[in-house]
């Protein structure tokens, strides 16, 4: 669905399947989230940060959180290419933001350790409450 | 840490002129960076004309000789993801090494890499930018909510909590030795007492403006690039007065700011994918669009007659030279 459709899906699936088994560690995930903390919050009421709130991010279409001025690249990824944040797509994004969404403002070196990505997603998944339409339980890959 | 063998790579220097936008006294030249040594985040040029840049996604410091176009890469070690680079009073490049939470010096001649890690108890602070004070101490910001000071002579390092938590981003020193930083998430600037370390918040007049970087002009006035509001603002410490100007365009986003030796104010403006020069005397902007889509200039530095910018999105360094 993103860029090179079929090939990309296979790659994402491989990435997801290569992750260590899910061992919920949101406490470690909160520590990993310090890599994100400068720009992002998980509190939905916390606005005016450089990045959008990541509360209820799983299940959300990219570039669509109300009230945040996303880059044209992120808006295009969500609207024209249908990018939705699942554990698989978020995992790929955290490895290389520019590969998944070329031109996005977000510029980080990437979380190269699979367990870091797994734990930070566990942490994000447990930050709520989320509105029903963005419930994480509905969007597992 | 000893220098790992430097990579020697040639790069192609491309003379590029944009006569439609560039005033006659400005000549622009671009330098394409080699694979494995691109993604330039910050850039610094020394008095000798050698240009250093942080190859953030490659964990290296790059060295460009503009006379030949030759690029050398100096690996900064496992886990490195350097953000900022400045030239110290010793002529060496100093790096805010965000990946490993350390201040790093690279010897300009031997290329030996020396590291000063932040205290472990501080955890990951997301190191951003640095500046030297007049006593030879390096001040730095950590975007997770800290700022700090390292005295390279003694090795003493102190780290303070920023008064409103996360946000400290750009930092600069005025000609009289005062240090100011901008808080992006906090939407303010702060003056740091270089002896006590205390930071005093100074509120810009525009709410939630997203103060991203700061620079000083020759009179010690502080210029601020505002990411959210798309303005450039000036703070005069003597009168405590502010003045703001909105950049051209429908929804400008001012990322970086630098004041050149003629007190002209340079900014990178993302919505137009352009560099912008502001003349405080005439209050007029000149726009220099990039010829490459998504240039994404995140920082600006120069020396008399030259303004250097890293085009992080297209792996180029670009210089604006005054004739």
């Amino acid at each position: 669905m993103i860029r090179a459709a079929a090939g990309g899906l296979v790659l994402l699936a491989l990435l997801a399947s290569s992750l260590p088994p899910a061992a919920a560690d949101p406490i470690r995930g909160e520590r990993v989230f310090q890599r994100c903390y400068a720009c992002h919050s998980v509190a939905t009421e916390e606005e005016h940060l450089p990045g959008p709130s990541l509360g209820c991010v799983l299940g959300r279409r990219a570039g669509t959180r109300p009230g945040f001025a996303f880059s044209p690249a992120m808006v295009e990824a969500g609207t024209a290419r249908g990018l939705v944040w699942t554990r698989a797509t978020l995992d790929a994004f955290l490895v290389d933001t520019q590969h998944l969404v070329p031109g996005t403002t977000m510029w980080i070196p990437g979380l190269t350790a699979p367990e870091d990505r797994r734990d930070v997603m566990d942490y994000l998944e447990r930050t709520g409450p989320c509105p029903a339409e963005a419930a994480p339980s509905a969007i597992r890959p | 840490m000893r220098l790992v063998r430097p990579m020697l790579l040639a790069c192609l220097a491309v003379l590029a002129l944009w006569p439609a936008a560039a005033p006659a006294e400005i000549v622009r030249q671009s330098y394409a960076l080699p694979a494995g040594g691109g993604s330039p985040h910050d850039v610094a040029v020394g008095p000798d004309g050698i240009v250093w840049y942080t190859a953030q996604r490659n964990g290296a410091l790059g060295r460009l000789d503009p006379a030949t176009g030759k690029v050398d890469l100096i690996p900064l070690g496992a886990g490195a993801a350097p953000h900022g680079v400045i030239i110290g009073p010793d002529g060496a490049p100093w790096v805010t090494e965000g990946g490993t939470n350390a201040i790093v010096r690279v010897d300009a001649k031997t290329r030996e890499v020396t590291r000063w890690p932040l205290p472990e108890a501080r955890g990951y602070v997301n190191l951003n930018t640095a500046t030297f004070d007049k006593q030879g101490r390096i001040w730095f910001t950590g975007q997770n909510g800290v700022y700090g000071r390292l005295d390279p002579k003694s090795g003493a390092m102190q780290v303070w909590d920023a008064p409103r938590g996360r946000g400290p981003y750009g930092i600069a020193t005025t000609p009289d030795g005062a240090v100011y930083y901008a808080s992006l998430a906090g939407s303010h600037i702060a003056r740091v007492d270089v002896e006590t370390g205390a930071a005093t918040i100074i509120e810009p007049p525009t709410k939630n403006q997203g103060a991203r970087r700061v620079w000083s002009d020759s009179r010690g006035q502080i210029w601020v690039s505002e990411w959210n509001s798309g303005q450039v603002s000036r703070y005069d410490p003597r009168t405590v007065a502010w003045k703001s100007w909105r950049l051209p365009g429908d929804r400008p986003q001012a990322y970086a700011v630098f004041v050149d030796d003629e007190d002209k104010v340079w900014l990178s403006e993302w919505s137009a994918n352009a560099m912008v020069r502001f003349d405080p005397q005439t209050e007029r902007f000149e726009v220099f669009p990039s010829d490459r889509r998504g240039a994404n200039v995140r920082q600006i530095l120069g020396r008399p007659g030259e303004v250097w910018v890293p085009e992080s999105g297209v792996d180029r360094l670009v210089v604006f030279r005054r004739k």
Side-chain angles (χ1 to χ4, degrees), chain A residues 31-43 46-50 68-73 95-99 103-110, chain B residues 39-41 56-57 79-81 98-100 124-126 143-145 165-167 184-187 208 212 227-228 251 253 255 270 296 298 312-313 315:
Chain A
R31 285 202 302 274
V32 177
F33 189 73
Q34 290 303 301
R35 300 261 168 183
C36 324
Y37 174 82
C39 297
H40 296 283
S41 169
V42 294
E46 201 160 11
E47 297 178 338
H48 307 299
L49 293 179
F68 187 81
F70 289 92
S71 65
V95 171
D96 187 343
T97 60
Q98 298 297 320
H99 181 72
T104 178
T105 307
M106 182 168 162
W107 184 269
I108 61 168
Chain B
S39 307
H41 197 289
Q56 188 180 55
R57 289 154 67 86
T100 56
Y124 179 77
V125 303
N126 204 342
Q143 238 187 308
N144 280 12
R166 70 179 129 199
L184 174 60
S187 281
N208 297 323
R212 189 151 208 155
W227 177 249
N228 298 339
R251 293 186 59 188
Q253 292 180 296
Y255 196 114
W270 279 41
N296 293 0
R298 298 168 190 269
S312 68
D315 287 349

Side-chain angles (χ1 to χ4, degrees), chain B residues 83 96-98 101-103 118 125-129 140-143:
Chain B
H83 188 283
T96 32
E97 211 302 273
N101 227 27
I103 303 300
L118 266 67
V125 303
N126 204 342
L127 283 169
N128 193 285
T129 308
F140 52 87
T141 54
Q143 238 187 308

Side-chain angles (χ1 to χ4, degrees), chain B:
Chain B
M1 178 189 298
R2 289 287 300 166
L3 164 70
V4 182
R5 186 180 60 182
M7 296 171 63
L8 299 178
L9 297 166
C11 80
L12 181 64
V14 181
L15 182 64
L17 294 171
W18 286 264
E25 86 277 15
I26 296 292
V27 176
R28 179 165 32 183
Q29 185 174 6
S30 61
Y31 298 83
L33 298 174
S39 307
H41 197 289
D42 282 18
V43 67
V45 57
D48 57 359
I50 296 297
V51 178
W52 301 86
Y53 70 93
T54 49
Q56 188 180 55
R57 289 154 67 86
N58 302 109
L61 184 69
R63 177 190 185 275
L64 166 70
D65 182 347
T68 63
K70 181 166 165 264
V71 172
D72 300 339
L73 291 174
I74 300 149
L76 296 179
H83 188 283
V85 59
I86 58 171
I87 305 300
D90 57 356
W94 289 74
V95 176
T96 32
E97 211 302 273
T100 56
N101 227 27
I103 303 300
V104 167
R105 177 186 185 273
V106 176
D107 191 280
K109 288 183 181 169
T110 67
R111 307 196 185 172
E112 182 179 13
V113 177
T114 308
R115 306 166 49 81
W116 289 266
L118 266 67
E120 269 195 39
R122 278 284 171 184
Y124 179 77
V125 303
N126 204 342
L127 283 169
N128 193 285
T129 308
T131 187
F132 275 89
D133 67 18
K134 299 297 183 185
Q135 287 78 49
R137 300 170 299 194
I138 185 169
W139 291 81
F140 52 87
T141 54
Q143 238 187 308
N144 280 12
V146 304
Y147 60 98
R149 181 181 70 194
L150 167 69
D151 185 344
K153 289 177 192 156
S154 66
M157 180 186 285
Q158 284 182 274
V159 181
W160 291 271
D161 291 322
R164 287 189 197 158
R166 70 179 129 199
Y169 203 95
I171 189 168
T173 305
T174 66
D176 64 359
V179 170
Y180 290 81
Y181 71 77
S183 174
L184 174 60
S187 281
H188 62 260
I189 66 169
R191 177 176 174 141
V192 180
D193 184 317
V194 296
E195 299 313 321
T196 69
T200 302
I201 288 177
I202 302 164
E203 299 276 9
T206 305
K207 191 179 177 189
N208 297 323
Q209 81 295 136
R212 189 151 208 155
R213 290 190 181 272
V214 287
W215 205 258
S216 172
D217 64 21
S218 64
R219 300 170 55 202
Q221 299 181 115
I222 306 303
W223 292 82
V224 186
S225 52
E226 298 177 359
W227 177 249
N228 298 339
S229 70
Q231 297 178 140
V232 58
S233 289
R234 182 187 66 200
Y235 171 71
D236 187 335
R238 285 161 296 190
T239 63
V240 300
W242 284 89
K243 187 166 184 180
S244 300
W245 297 263
R246 184 177 168 85
L247 273 63
D250 292 334
R251 293 186 59 188
Q253 292 180 296
Y255 196 114
V257 64
F258 171 74
V259 184
D260 70 17
D261 56 308
E262 292 185 329
D263 274 348
K264 302 279 178 58
V265 183
W266 292 77
L267 301 123
S268 58
E269 202 285 276
W270 279 41
S271 73
N273 191 36
M275 290 296 297
V276 173
R277 184 173 67 166
F278 178 68
D279 185 340
Q281 298 295 320
T282 63
E283 301 187 272
R284 295 187 62 178
F285 291 96
E286 294 168 293
V287 180
F288 304 78
S290 176
D291 65 335
R292 297 277 302 277
R293 186 170 178 237
N296 293 0
V297 173
R298 298 168 190 269
Q299 178 261 5
I300 312 165
L301 259 181
R303 62 172 181 160
E306 289 184 354
V307 172
W308 284 85
V309 303
E311 291 189 338
S312 68
V314 296
D315 287 349
R316 290 198 313 192
L317 301 183
V318 176
V319 58
F320 296 80
R321 291 194 180 94
R322 201 167 55 236
K323 287 181 183 171

